[in-house]
Amino acid sequence: MKKTACVLLAIVLTVLLGAGAVAAEGAQIDQDSPDQSGSLNVEYDMGVAYTVTIPASVTFTDGEKTAERGLQASDVTLPEGQALRVSVTSRNGFQMRNGEDYIDYTMKVNQGTPLEEDTRNVLTVRAGETSGWAVLDFATDLDRTHAQRAGQYSDTLTFTVTVG
Amino acid sequence: MLALLLIYLALGILSGVMTILWTVRQTDRPETEAADDVCGVGWVLDPDAADTRLPGEPAEVEQNVTIAGIGAVTVPAGERFAAGDFFNPEENAGLYDMVFELRLLDGSPQGYEVLYSSALVSPGKHIYEIELAHALKTGVYDAVVHVQPYRMDQGHTRTNNADIMTALVVR
């Protein structure tokens, strides 16, 4: 019994040794190969990745005419030399509308000057940085208001994310 | 004659006394009563009256929406099924569903053509394969994925939204 097991083990080992190493692209290395070493490429394609957190809404009331919201980019992975940029567009040109009536409001970024254009970059995260944030300050401008009717006045903001 | 004089004198003294008595009575009245009776006809200011009170309850701050980055969308030339990853992050659980719309920027008056629009995607769910409205020729096209969150309330009302600039790779 023992003798049989030893013979079998020897056969198995011989087969294994004779099989040789397999290099990349399926090349086989055995005792007759001129090159007794091989290489294997190990690769991982790290794609662009990020998460952006935007304000869902901003609500003003008679008692609250200002509001502060945060904008954040996190888990940012970018190619070298590139940057993630977030800009903001107002559907109504920073006016809350109800039919023909409107109430103006302003938005400042990081306590800067109010945005005068519909689209303006509000956040930049460069390659090598993993996160960034901006503080958005909203306020109604009652001196530039034309609101004759009761009801809800609203606007929609679109946050555009670009990598490049 | 003397009698008339005496009568006039008595009347004068009497009116003087009455005047003095009335004046004394006014100064003896409590200050509040004297001050409140501004009309002098018994009206008083209501002690419950207060300054203008603005709506006291502050507006509820709504939770922010988490938007996941979207890489290039790839599709074989001449085919309509494209691969991508449209994902509604777990952070929106209980708050927002999302609709994803793939727009091909084409310089038209609207600025884009809609190639694909999803239904509501729940938090934690992905869409990995989409069917385009039509096949495209080989090339790399500028595209945008319009991400529209919807509140999980009865009306499924819309919030602010995001445009993720990306590329549509056809090869």
Side-chain angles (χ1 to χ4, degrees), chain A residues 49-62:
Chain A
Y50 57 86
T51 299
V52 174
T53 305
I54 67 171
S57 64
V58 179
T59 302
F60 298 110
T61 65
D62 288 340

Side-chain angles (χ1 to χ4, degrees), chain A residues 80-122:
Chain A
E80 188 171 342
Q82 294 192 6
L84 177 147
R85 293 180 175 81
V86 182
S87 60
V88 178
T89 304
S90 162
R91 183 176 67 182
N92 298 329
F94 296 108
Q95 288 182 339
M96 294 175 283
R97 287 192 169 269
N98 180 353
E100 293 300 315
D101 293 351
Y102 62 86
I103 299 174
D104 284 322
Y105 70 97
T106 59
M107 187 182 88
K108 296 181 183 180
V109 183
N110 296 331
Q111 299 182 336
T113 56
L115 298 192
E116 294 181 3
E117 299 172 4
D118 281 343
T119 303
R120 181 70 65 87
N121 190 62
V122 296

Side-chain angles (χ1 to χ4, degrees), chain A residues 106-164:
Chain A
T106 59
M107 187 182 88
K108 296 181 183 180
V109 183
N110 296 331
Q111 299 182 336
T113 56
L115 298 192
E116 294 181 3
E117 299 172 4
D118 281 343
T119 303
R120 181 70 65 87
N121 190 62
V122 296
L123 176 63
T124 300
V125 181
R126 304 189 187 283
E129 300 171 343
T130 58
S131 65
W133 56 271
V135 176
L136 308 178
D137 290 299
F138 297 88
T140 57
D141 187 352
L142 296 181
D143 289 335
R144 295 167 59 190
T145 292
H146 179 74
Q148 303 292 325
R149 68 186 77 185
Q152 187 170 36
Y153 291 69
S154 65
D155 186 21
T156 300
L157 298 178
T158 297
F159 294 81
T160 300
V161 182
T162 307
V163 174

Side-chain angles (χ1 to χ4, degrees), chain A residues 30-48:
Chain A
D30 58 26
Q31 60 272 22
D32 297 322
S33 299
D35 192 353
Q36 293 292 305
S37 66
S39 63
L40 177 67
N41 288 334
V42 181
E43 300 177 348
Y44 178 73
D45 188 5
M46 175 71 83
V48 172

Side-chain angles (χ1 to χ4, degrees), chain A residues 50-57 59 61-64 69-70 91 155-162, chain B residues 54-55 58-59 61-70 96 151 158-165:
Chain A
Y50 57 86
T51 299
V52 174
T53 305
I54 67 171
S57 64
T59 302
T61 65
D62 288 340
E64 288 189 75
R69 295 289 182 272
R91 183 176 67 182
D155 186 21
T156 300
L157 298 178
T158 297
F159 294 81
T160 300
V161 182
T162 307
Chain B
L54 298 171
V61 178
E62 200 168 17
Q63 186 84 7
N64 280 9
V65 184
T66 300
I67 310 280
I70 298 172
Y96 310 110
R151 298 180 181 89
R158 302 198 294 182
T159 70
N160 290 324
N161 51 56
D163 280 342
I164 308 298
M165 304 306 293

